[in-house]
mmCIF file of all heavy atoms in Angstrom:
data_model
loop_
_atom_site.group_PDB
_atom_site.id
_atom_site.type_symbol
_atom_site.label_atom_id
_atom_site.label_comp_id
_atom_site.label_asym_id
_atom_site.label_seq_id
_atom_site.Cartn_x
_atom_site.Cartn_y
_atom_site.Cartn_z
ATOM 1 N N SER A 4 0.824 -1.207 0.000
ATOM 2 C CA SER A 4 0.000 0.000 0.000
ATOM 3 C C SER A 4 0.862 1.264 0.000
ATOM 4 O O SER A 4 0.376 2.348 -0.355
ATOM 5 C CB SER A 4 -0.922 0.001 1.224
ATOM 6 O OG SER A 4 -0.167 -0.058 2.428
ATOM 7 N N GLU A 5 2.141 1.145 0.378
ATOM 8 C CA GLU A 5 3.036 2.298 0.420
ATOM 9 C C GLU A 5 3.895 2.411 -0.836
ATOM 10 O O GLU A 5 4.685 3.360 -0.957
ATOM 11 C CB GLU A 5 3.935 2.210 1.659
ATOM 12 C CG GLU A 5 3.173 2.255 2.977
ATOM 13 C CD GLU A 5 4.093 2.160 4.183
ATOM 14 O OE1 GLU A 5 5.333 2.191 3.985
ATOM 15 O OE2 GLU A 5 3.588 2.049 5.311
ATOM 16 N N TRP A 6 3.770 1.468 -1.769
ATOM 17 C CA TRP A 6 4.567 1.511 -2.987
ATOM 18 C C TRP A 6 4.072 2.626 -3.902
ATOM 19 O O TRP A 6 2.871 2.943 -3.950
ATOM 20 C CB TRP A 6 4.511 0.187 -3.731
ATOM 21 C CG TRP A 6 5.147 -0.956 -2.981
ATOM 22 C CD1 TRP A 6 5.636 -0.941 -1.704
ATOM 23 C CD2 TRP A 6 5.347 -2.280 -3.460
ATOM 24 N NE1 TRP A 6 6.121 -2.167 -1.355
ATOM 25 C CE2 TRP A 6 5.960 -3.016 -2.411
ATOM 26 C CE3 TRP A 6 5.070 -2.922 -4.650
ATOM 27 C CZ2 TRP A 6 6.295 -4.353 -2.554
ATOM 28 C CZ3 TRP A 6 5.406 -4.258 -4.792
ATOM 29 C CH2 TRP A 6 6.018 -4.968 -3.757
ATOM 30 N N LEU A 7 4.979 3.203 -4.660
ATOM 31 C CA LEU A 7 4.641 4.261 -5.611
ATOM 32 C C LEU A 7 4.888 3.742 -7.029
ATOM 33 O O LEU A 7 5.995 3.280 -7.346
ATOM 34 C CB LEU A 7 5.496 5.505 -5.348
ATOM 35 C CG LEU A 7 5.327 6.670 -6.316
ATOM 36 C CD1 LEU A 7 3.900 7.189 -6.287
ATOM 37 C CD2 LEU A 7 6.312 7.790 -5.995
ATOM 38 N N TYR A 8 3.859 3.809 -7.866
ATOM 39 C CA TYR A 8 3.946 3.336 -9.245
ATOM 40 C C TYR A 8 3.950 4.534 -10.196
ATOM 41 O O TYR A 8 3.172 5.472 -10.019
ATOM 42 C CB TYR A 8 2.765 2.433 -9.594
ATOM 43 C CG TYR A 8 2.702 1.153 -8.783
ATOM 44 C CD1 TYR A 8 2.095 1.131 -7.529
ATOM 45 C CD2 TYR A 8 3.245 -0.028 -9.264
ATOM 46 C CE1 TYR A 8 2.034 -0.037 -6.776
ATOM 47 C CE2 TYR A 8 3.181 -1.205 -8.520
ATOM 48 C CZ TYR A 8 2.570 -1.201 -7.287
ATOM 49 O OH TYR A 8 2.518 -2.346 -6.552
ATOM 50 N N GLN A 9 4.814 4.491 -11.208
ATOM 51 C CA GLN A 9 4.875 5.558 -12.200
ATOM 52 C C GLN A 9 5.133 4.942 -13.581
ATOM 53 O O GLN A 9 6.094 4.186 -13.753
ATOM 54 C CB GLN A 9 5.999 6.552 -11.859
ATOM 55 C CG GLN A 9 6.124 7.704 -12.823
ATOM 56 C CD GLN A 9 4.917 8.635 -12.783
ATOM 57 O OE1 GLN A 9 4.355 8.867 -11.714
ATOM 58 N NE2 GLN A 9 4.511 9.149 -13.934
ATOM 59 N N ASP A 10 4.273 5.252 -14.545
ATOM 60 C CA ASP A 10 4.457 4.748 -15.909
ATOM 61 C C ASP A 10 5.685 5.392 -16.535
ATOM 62 O O ASP A 10 5.824 6.616 -16.567
ATOM 63 C CB ASP A 10 3.233 5.050 -16.763
ATOM 64 C CG ASP A 10 2.042 4.187 -16.373
ATOM 65 O OD1 ASP A 10 2.265 3.080 -15.852
ATOM 66 O OD2 ASP A 10 0.893 4.633 -16.576
ATOM 67 N N THR A 11 6.591 4.539 -17.043
ATOM 68 C CA THR A 11 7.781 5.008 -17.772
ATOM 69 C C THR A 11 7.930 4.144 -19.023
ATOM 70 O O THR A 11 8.809 3.285 -19.105
ATOM 71 C CB THR A 11 9.038 4.901 -16.890
ATOM 72 O OG1 THR A 11 9.084 3.581 -16.281
ATOM 73 C CG2 THR A 11 9.044 5.936 -15.786
ATOM 74 N N PRO A 12 7.045 4.332 -20.005
ATOM 75 C CA PRO A 12 7.019 3.462 -21.191
ATOM 76 C C PRO A 12 8.313 3.467 -21.981
ATOM 77 O O PRO A 12 8.610 2.489 -22.692
ATOM 78 C CB PRO A 12 5.860 4.036 -22.017
ATOM 79 C CG PRO A 12 5.662 5.426 -21.505
ATOM 80 C CD PRO A 12 6.033 5.393 -20.072
ATOM 81 N N GLU A 13 9.101 4.532 -21.875
ATOM 82 C CA GLU A 13 10.361 4.599 -22.633
ATOM 83 C C GLU A 13 11.375 3.574 -22.135
ATOM 84 O O GLU A 13 12.366 3.285 -22.818
ATOM 85 C CB GLU A 13 10.954 6.006 -22.551
ATOM 86 C CG GLU A 13 11.475 6.429 -21.195
ATOM 87 C CD GLU A 13 10.385 6.937 -20.249
ATOM 88 O OE1 GLU A 13 9.192 6.889 -20.633
ATOM 89 O OE2 GLU A 13 10.721 7.379 -19.131
ATOM 90 N N ARG A 14 11.124 2.995 -20.961
ATOM 91 C CA ARG A 14 12.054 2.006 -20.409
ATOM 92 C C ARG A 14 11.565 0.572 -20.624
ATOM 93 O O ARG A 14 12.176 -0.372 -20.123
ATOM 94 C CB ARG A 14 12.260 2.257 -18.905
ATOM 95 C CG ARG A 14 12.928 3.589 -18.605
ATOM 96 C CD ARG A 14 13.108 3.812 -17.129
ATOM 97 N NE ARG A 14 13.521 5.205 -16.879
ATOM 98 C CZ ARG A 14 13.224 5.888 -15.794
ATOM 99 N NH1 ARG A 14 12.512 5.315 -14.839
ATOM 100 N NH2 ARG A 14 13.628 7.128 -15.642
ATOM 101 N N ARG A 15 10.480 0.408 -21.321
ATOM 102 C CA ARG A 15 9.953 -0.949 -21.544
ATOM 103 C C ARG A 15 10.948 -1.774 -22.357
ATOM 104 O O ARG A 15 11.467 -1.331 -23.382
ATOM 105 C CB ARG A 15 8.616 -0.882 -22.292
ATOM 106 C CG ARG A 15 8.003 -2.264 -22.532
ATOM 107 C CD ARG A 15 6.811 -2.187 -23.480
ATOM 108 N NE ARG A 15 5.715 -1.432 -22.895
ATOM 109 C CZ ARG A 15 4.790 -1.965 -22.106
ATOM 110 N NH1 ARG A 15 4.847 -3.260 -21.817
ATOM 111 N NH2 ARG A 15 3.827 -1.227 -21.626
ATOM 112 N N ILE A 16 11.190 -2.992 -21.894
ATOM 113 C CA ILE A 16 12.066 -3.939 -22.594
ATOM 114 C C ILE A 16 11.270 -5.124 -23.118
ATOM 115 O O ILE A 16 11.514 -5.622 -24.217
ATOM 116 C CB ILE A 16 13.198 -4.424 -21.661
ATOM 117 C CG1 ILE A 16 14.248 -3.313 -21.476
ATOM 118 C CG2 ILE A 16 13.864 -5.687 -22.191
ATOM 119 C CD1 ILE A 16 15.389 -3.688 -20.560
ATOM 120 N N VAL A 17 10.296 -5.581 -22.330
ATOM 121 C CA VAL A 17 9.508 -6.770 -22.676
ATOM 122 C C VAL A 17 8.161 -6.332 -23.251
ATOM 123 O O VAL A 17 7.461 -5.518 -22.634
ATOM 124 C CB VAL A 17 9.291 -7.652 -21.430
ATOM 125 C CG1 VAL A 17 8.450 -8.877 -21.767
ATOM 126 C CG2 VAL A 17 10.637 -8.079 -20.837
ATOM 127 N N PRO A 18 7.764 -6.856 -24.406
ATOM 128 C CA PRO A 18 6.450 -6.516 -24.967
ATOM 129 C C PRO A 18 5.325 -6.844 -23.989
ATOM 130 O O PRO A 18 5.426 -7.795 -23.197
ATOM 131 C CB PRO A 18 6.366 -7.387 -26.231
ATOM 132 C CG PRO A 18 7.781 -7.680 -26.587
ATOM 133 C CD PRO A 18 8.531 -7.748 -25.294
ATOM 134 N N ASP A 19 4.246 -6.076 -24.051
ATOM 135 C CA ASP A 19 3.156 -6.209 -23.092
ATOM 136 C C ASP A 19 2.570 -7.617 -23.077
ATOM 137 O O ASP A 19 2.315 -8.186 -22.024
ATOM 138 C CB ASP A 19 2.071 -5.178 -23.406
ATOM 139 C CG ASP A 19 1.050 -5.062 -22.279
ATOM 140 O OD1 ASP A 19 1.441 -4.664 -21.163
ATOM 141 O OD2 ASP A 19 -0.125 -5.401 -22.499
ATOM 142 N N SER A 20 2.354 -8.187 -24.270
ATOM 143 C CA SER A 20 1.750 -9.532 -24.346
ATOM 144 C C SER A 20 2.655 -10.580 -23.708
ATOM 145 O O SER A 20 2.194 -11.477 -22.994
ATOM 146 C CB SER A 20 1.474 -9.900 -25.804
ATOM 147 O OG SER A 20 2.677 -9.863 -26.562
ATOM 148 N N LEU A 21 3.971 -10.477 -23.943
ATOM 149 C CA LEU A 21 4.921 -11.437 -23.371
ATOM 150 C C LEU A 21 4.991 -11.265 -21.852
ATOM 151 O O LEU A 21 5.057 -12.249 -21.108
ATOM 152 C CB LEU A 21 6.304 -11.220 -23.997
ATOM 153 C CG LEU A 21 7.419 -12.154 -23.518
ATOM 154 C CD1 LEU A 21 7.060 -13.613 -23.787
ATOM 155 C CD2 LEU A 21 8.741 -11.796 -24.209
ATOM 156 N N TRP A 22 4.954 -10.023 -21.389
ATOM 157 C CA TRP A 22 4.982 -9.762 -19.947
ATOM 158 C C TRP A 22 3.799 -10.417 -19.240
ATOM 159 O O TRP A 22 3.962 -11.131 -18.248
ATOM 160 C CB TRP A 22 4.993 -8.254 -19.688
ATOM 161 C CG TRP A 22 4.751 -7.893 -18.245
ATOM 162 C CD1 TRP A 22 3.555 -7.601 -17.668
ATOM 163 C CD2 TRP A 22 5.721 -7.802 -17.199
ATOM 164 N NE1 TRP A 22 3.704 -7.325 -16.333
ATOM 165 C CE2 TRP A 22 5.032 -7.444 -16.014
ATOM 166 C CE3 TRP A 22 7.094 -7.978 -17.145
ATOM 167 C CZ2 TRP A 22 5.675 -7.264 -14.802
ATOM 168 C CZ3 TRP A 22 7.739 -7.806 -15.925
ATOM 169 C CH2 TRP A 22 7.045 -7.456 -14.778
ATOM 170 N N HIS A 23 2.585 -10.177 -19.747
ATOM 171 C CA HIS A 23 1.387 -10.712 -19.094
ATOM 172 C C HIS A 23 1.321 -12.237 -19.200
ATOM 173 O O HIS A 23 0.820 -12.894 -18.282
ATOM 174 C CB HIS A 23 0.138 -10.070 -19.691
ATOM 175 C CG HIS A 23 -0.043 -8.638 -19.280
ATOM 176 N ND1 HIS A 23 -0.326 -8.259 -17.995
ATOM 177 C CD2 HIS A 23 0.050 -7.478 -19.997
ATOM 178 C CE1 HIS A 23 -0.420 -6.946 -17.904
ATOM 179 N NE2 HIS A 23 -0.194 -6.442 -19.118
ATOM 180 N N ALA A 24 1.825 -12.794 -20.292
ATOM 181 C CA ALA A 24 1.866 -14.259 -20.414
ATOM 182 C C ALA A 24 2.787 -14.859 -19.349
ATOM 183 O O ALA A 24 2.469 -15.888 -18.740
ATOM 184 C CB ALA A 24 2.341 -14.651 -21.813
ATOM 185 N N ALA A 25 3.916 -14.196 -19.107
ATOM 186 C CA ALA A 25 4.847 -14.693 -18.090
ATOM 187 C C ALA A 25 4.251 -14.569 -16.693
ATOM 188 O O ALA A 25 4.398 -15.478 -15.861
ATOM 189 C CB ALA A 25 6.161 -13.907 -18.166
ATOM 190 N N GLN A 26 3.556 -13.459 -16.412
ATOM 191 C CA GLN A 26 2.945 -13.290 -15.092
ATOM 192 C C GLN A 26 1.848 -14.320 -14.851
ATOM 193 O O GLN A 26 1.689 -14.830 -13.743
ATOM 194 C CB GLN A 26 2.375 -11.874 -14.931
ATOM 195 C CG GLN A 26 3.396 -10.749 -15.116
ATOM 196 C CD GLN A 26 4.681 -10.965 -14.342
ATOM 197 O OE1 GLN A 26 4.666 -11.141 -13.125
ATOM 198 N NE2 GLN A 26 5.808 -10.969 -15.064
ATOM 199 N N ALA A 27 1.066 -14.622 -15.914
ATOM 200 C CA ALA A 27 0.005 -15.626 -15.780
ATOM 201 C C ALA A 27 0.596 -16.995 -15.497
ATOM 202 O O ALA A 27 0.095 -17.747 -14.649
ATOM 203 C CB ALA A 27 -0.843 -15.651 -17.047
ATOM 204 N N LYS A 28 1.691 -17.342 -16.187
ATOM 205 C CA LYS A 28 2.326 -18.647 -15.962
ATOM 206 C C LYS A 28 2.940 -18.711 -14.570
ATOM 207 O O LYS A 28 2.864 -19.743 -13.901
ATOM 208 C CB LYS A 28 3.388 -18.904 -17.034
ATOM 209 C CG LYS A 28 4.060 -20.272 -16.919
ATOM 210 C CD LYS A 28 4.946 -20.556 -18.109
ATOM 211 C CE LYS A 28 4.140 -20.917 -19.330
ATOM 212 N NZ LYS A 28 3.483 -22.236 -19.206
ATOM 213 N N LYS A 29 3.506 -17.600 -14.130
ATOM 214 C CA LYS A 29 4.112 -17.590 -12.797
ATOM 215 C C LYS A 29 3.043 -17.737 -11.723
ATOM 216 O O LYS A 29 3.242 -18.433 -10.722
ATOM 217 C CB LYS A 29 4.897 -16.296 -12.588
ATOM 218 C CG LYS A 29 5.742 -16.311 -11.337
ATOM 219 C CD LYS A 29 6.901 -15.360 -11.453
ATOM 220 C CE LYS A 29 7.794 -15.451 -10.220
ATOM 221 N NZ LYS A 29 8.422 -16.762 -10.059
ATOM 222 N N ALA A 30 1.897 -17.096 -11.913
ATOM 223 C CA ALA A 30 0.801 -17.225 -10.949
ATOM 224 C C ALA A 30 0.286 -18.656 -10.911
ATOM 225 O O ALA A 30 -0.047 -19.185 -9.841
ATOM 226 C CB ALA A 30 -0.317 -16.260 -11.305
ATOM 227 N N ALA A 31 0.228 -19.308 -12.101
ATOM 228 C CA ALA A 31 -0.262 -20.691 -12.165
ATOM 229 C C ALA A 31 0.713 -21.655 -11.501
ATOM 230 O O ALA A 31 0.306 -22.650 -10.910
ATOM 231 C CB ALA A 31 -0.483 -21.089 -13.619
ATOM 232 N N ARG A 32 2.005 -21.343 -11.597
ATOM 233 C CA ARG A 32 3.024 -22.218 -11.016
ATOM 234 C C ARG A 32 3.239 -21.956 -9.532
ATOM 235 O O ARG A 32 3.950 -22.691 -8.870
ATOM 236 C CB ARG A 32 4.370 -22.007 -11.725
ATOM 237 C CG ARG A 32 4.476 -22.682 -13.073
ATOM 238 C CD ARG A 32 5.863 -22.458 -13.639
ATOM 239 N NE ARG A 32 6.049 -23.216 -14.868
ATOM 240 C CZ ARG A 32 7.158 -23.177 -15.606
ATOM 241 N NH1 ARG A 32 8.166 -22.414 -15.220
ATOM 242 N NH2 ARG A 32 7.259 -23.881 -16.707
ATOM 243 N N GLY A 33 2.673 -20.882 -9.033
ATOM 244 C CA GLY A 33 2.944 -20.483 -7.648
ATOM 245 C C GLY A 33 2.628 -21.575 -6.658
ATOM 246 O O GLY A 33 1.593 -22.230 -6.723
ATOM 247 N N GLY A 34 3.535 -21.780 -5.730
ATOM 248 C CA GLY A 34 3.354 -22.787 -4.681
ATOM 249 C C GLY A 34 3.357 -22.147 -3.322
ATOM 250 O O GLY A 34 3.257 -20.930 -3.188
ATOM 251 N N PRO A 35 3.433 -22.929 -2.299
ATOM 252 C CA PRO A 35 3.440 -22.383 -0.940
ATOM 253 C C PRO A 35 4.684 -21.555 -0.670
ATOM 254 O O PRO A 35 5.735 -21.809 -1.245
ATOM 255 C CB PRO A 35 3.416 -23.637 -0.051
ATOM 256 C CG PRO A 35 3.973 -24.717 -0.914
ATOM 257 C CD PRO A 35 3.547 -24.394 -2.310
ATOM 258 N N ARG A 36 4.556 -20.551 0.164
ATOM 259 C CA ARG A 36 5.695 -19.731 0.559
ATOM 260 C C ARG A 36 6.655 -20.571 1.401
ATOM 261 O O ARG A 36 6.255 -21.540 2.034
ATOM 262 C CB ARG A 36 5.231 -18.532 1.387
ATOM 263 C CG ARG A 36 4.251 -17.637 0.668
ATOM 264 C CD ARG A 36 4.922 -16.903 -0.483
ATOM 265 N NE ARG A 36 4.100 -15.823 -0.978
ATOM 266 C CZ ARG A 36 3.163 -15.969 -1.900
ATOM 267 N NH1 ARG A 36 2.922 -17.152 -2.422
ATOM 268 N NH2 ARG A 36 2.460 -14.922 -2.304
ATOM 269 N N PRO A 37 7.949 -20.195 1.406
ATOM 270 C CA PRO A 37 8.914 -20.994 2.171
ATOM 271 C C PRO A 37 8.525 -21.182 3.628
ATOM 272 O O PRO A 37 8.714 -22.250 4.191
ATOM 273 C CB PRO A 37 10.205 -20.161 2.040
ATOM 274 C CG PRO A 37 10.042 -19.416 0.757
ATOM 275 C CD PRO A 37 8.564 -19.120 0.660
ATOM 276 N N HIS A 38 7.933 -20.134 4.274
ATOM 277 C CA HIS A 38 7.609 -20.270 5.697
ATOM 278 C C HIS A 38 6.389 -21.154 5.915
ATOM 279 O O HIS A 38 6.084 -21.525 7.039
ATOM 280 C CB HIS A 38 7.375 -18.892 6.318
ATOM 281 C CG HIS A 38 6.177 -18.171 5.756
ATOM 282 N ND1 HIS A 38 6.253 -17.381 4.635
ATOM 283 C CD2 HIS A 38 4.881 -18.140 6.147
ATOM 284 C CE1 HIS A 38 5.060 -16.862 4.378
ATOM 285 N NE2 HIS A 38 4.211 -17.314 5.277
ATOM 286 N N GLU A 39 5.655 -21.477 4.796
ATOM 287 C CA GLU A 39 4.502 -22.350 4.936
ATOM 288 C C GLU A 39 4.881 -23.816 4.765
ATOM 289 O O GLU A 39 4.084 -24.694 5.013
ATOM 290 C CB GLU A 39 3.439 -21.971 3.893
ATOM 291 C CG GLU A 39 2.882 -20.557 4.085
ATOM 292 C CD GLU A 39 2.002 -20.141 2.927
ATOM 293 O OE1 GLU A 39 1.935 -20.921 1.939
ATOM 294 O OE2 GLU A 39 1.386 -19.077 2.992
ATOM 295 N N LYS A 40 6.100 -24.069 4.282
ATOM 296 C CA LYS A 40 6.514 -25.435 4.021
ATOM 297 C C LYS A 40 6.964 -26.114 5.312
ATOM 298 O O LYS A 40 7.413 -25.474 6.245
ATOM 299 C CB LYS A 40 7.665 -25.451 3.001
ATOM 300 C CG LYS A 40 7.238 -24.933 1.633
ATOM 301 C CD LYS A 40 8.398 -24.994 0.676
ATOM 302 C CE LYS A 40 8.014 -24.481 -0.702
ATOM 303 N NZ LYS A 40 9.139 -24.499 -1.639
ATOM 304 N N ARG A 41 6.873 -27.423 5.285
ATOM 305 C CA ARG A 41 7.318 -28.201 6.417
ATOM 306 C C ARG A 41 8.835 -28.145 6.504
ATOM 307 O O ARG A 41 9.524 -28.296 5.498
ATOM 308 C CB ARG A 41 6.872 -29.639 6.190
ATOM 309 C CG ARG A 41 6.909 -30.518 7.416
ATOM 310 C CD ARG A 41 6.303 -31.851 7.045
ATOM 311 N NE ARG A 41 6.483 -32.827 8.080
ATOM 312 C CZ ARG A 41 6.193 -34.100 7.905
ATOM 313 N NH1 ARG A 41 5.707 -34.510 6.745
ATOM 314 N NH2 ARG A 41 6.363 -34.962 8.883
ATOM 315 N N LYS A 42 9.374 -27.900 7.690
ATOM 316 C CA LYS A 42 10.800 -27.652 7.792
ATOM 317 C C LYS A 42 11.638 -28.893 7.488
ATOM 318 O O LYS A 42 12.592 -28.822 6.748
ATOM 319 C CB LYS A 42 11.132 -27.106 9.183
ATOM 320 C CG LYS A 42 10.734 -25.648 9.348
ATOM 321 C CD LYS A 42 11.321 -25.074 10.606
ATOM 322 C CE LYS A 42 11.039 -23.578 10.673
ATOM 323 N NZ LYS A 42 11.615 -22.970 11.882
ATOM 324 N N HIS A 43 11.321 -30.013 8.104
ATOM 325 C CA HIS A 43 12.079 -31.236 7.888
ATOM 326 C C HIS A 43 11.156 -32.265 7.244
ATOM 327 O O HIS A 43 10.594 -33.128 7.921
ATOM 328 C CB HIS A 43 12.651 -31.778 9.196
ATOM 329 C CG HIS A 43 13.636 -30.854 9.842
ATOM 330 N ND1 HIS A 43 14.699 -30.322 9.157
ATOM 331 C CD2 HIS A 43 13.712 -30.357 11.106
ATOM 332 C CE1 HIS A 43 15.394 -29.549 9.965
ATOM 333 N NE2 HIS A 43 14.813 -29.547 11.148
ATOM 334 N N LYS A 44 11.035 -32.177 5.922
ATOM 335 C CA LYS A 44 10.106 -33.064 5.238
ATOM 336 C C LYS A 44 10.596 -34.505 5.257
ATOM 337 O O LYS A 44 9.819 -35.443 5.277
ATOM 338 C CB LYS A 44 9.918 -32.595 3.792
ATOM 339 C CG LYS A 44 8.820 -33.315 3.056
ATOM 340 C CD LYS A 44 8.580 -32.675 1.699
ATOM 341 C CE LYS A 44 7.433 -33.361 0.975
ATOM 342 N NZ LYS A 44 7.171 -32.759 -0.343
ATOM 343 N N TYR A 45 11.924 -34.671 5.231
ATOM 344 C CA TYR A 45 12.512 -36.004 5.223
ATOM 345 C C TYR A 45 13.407 -36.190 6.445
ATOM 346 O O TYR A 45 13.802 -35.202 7.096
ATOM 347 C CB TYR A 45 13.308 -36.228 3.928
ATOM 348 C CG TYR A 45 12.473 -36.055 2.691
ATOM 349 C CD1 TYR A 45 12.532 -34.877 1.953
ATOM 350 C CD2 TYR A 45 11.585 -37.051 2.272
ATOM 351 C CE1 TYR A 45 11.748 -34.700 0.827
ATOM 352 C CE2 TYR A 45 10.794 -36.881 1.154
ATOM 353 C CZ TYR A 45 10.876 -35.700 0.428
ATOM 354 O OH TYR A 45 10.090 -35.530 -0.685
ATOM 355 N N LEU A 46 13.721 -37.428 6.730
ATOM 356 C CA LEU A 46 14.469 -37.774 7.927
ATOM 357 C C LEU A 46 15.800 -37.025 8.016
ATOM 358 O O LEU A 46 16.189 -36.548 9.076
ATOM 359 C CB LEU A 46 14.723 -39.286 7.958
ATOM 360 C CG LEU A 46 15.523 -39.834 9.133
ATOM 361 C CD1 LEU A 46 14.757 -39.625 10.417
ATOM 362 C CD2 LEU A 46 15.822 -41.309 8.922
ATOM 363 N N LEU A 47 16.492 -36.882 6.866
ATOM 364 C CA LEU A 47 17.827 -36.284 6.850
ATOM 365 C C LEU A 47 17.849 -34.938 6.133
ATOM 366 O O LEU A 47 18.884 -34.514 5.628
ATOM 367 C CB LEU A 47 18.824 -37.254 6.196
ATOM 368 C CG LEU A 47 18.916 -38.644 6.844
ATOM 369 C CD1 LEU A 47 19.833 -39.549 6.057
ATOM 370 C CD2 LEU A 47 19.384 -38.528 8.292
ATOM 371 N N SER A 48 16.709 -34.263 6.078
ATOM 372 C CA SER A 48 16.638 -32.965 5.393
ATOM 373 C C SER A 48 17.659 -31.990 5.965
ATOM 374 O O SER A 48 17.787 -31.829 7.173
ATOM 375 C CB SER A 48 15.241 -32.361 5.546
ATOM 376 O OG SER A 48 14.294 -33.122 4.843
ATOM 377 N N GLY A 49 18.414 -31.333 5.059
ATOM 378 C CA GLY A 49 19.377 -30.317 5.461
ATOM 379 C C GLY A 49 20.711 -30.848 5.936
ATOM 380 O O GLY A 49 21.621 -30.064 6.215
ATOM 381 N N LEU A 50 20.866 -32.176 6.016
ATOM 382 C CA LEU A 50 22.104 -32.756 6.530
ATOM 383 C C LEU A 50 23.020 -33.276 5.433
ATOM 384 O O LEU A 50 24.217 -33.454 5.657
ATOM 385 C CB LEU A 50 21.794 -33.902 7.504
ATOM 386 C CG LEU A 50 20.989 -33.552 8.765
ATOM 387 C CD1 LEU A 50 20.694 -34.822 9.558
ATOM 388 C CD2 LEU A 50 21.752 -32.552 9.621
ATOM 389 N N ILE A 51 22.487 -33.543 4.239
ATOM 390 C CA ILE A 51 23.251 -34.212 3.187
ATOM 391 C C ILE A 51 23.945 -33.177 2.302
ATOM 392 O O ILE A 51 23.323 -32.232 1.822
ATOM 393 C CB ILE A 51 22.342 -35.119 2.339
ATOM 394 C CG1 ILE A 51 21.568 -36.079 3.255
ATOM 395 C CG2 ILE A 51 23.158 -35.906 1.325
ATOM 396 C CD1 ILE A 51 20.568 -36.947 2.543
#
């Protein structure tokens, strides 16, 4: 809510269609946040 957004089209590198396609795929692939994951999923997690 405190972020400031400003349009600067002269700095665009990625075409609009490609940008939105990537964001849609990233949203579809999104998984649980690291802090939501189980810490030791396996017996020797983090030791090997």
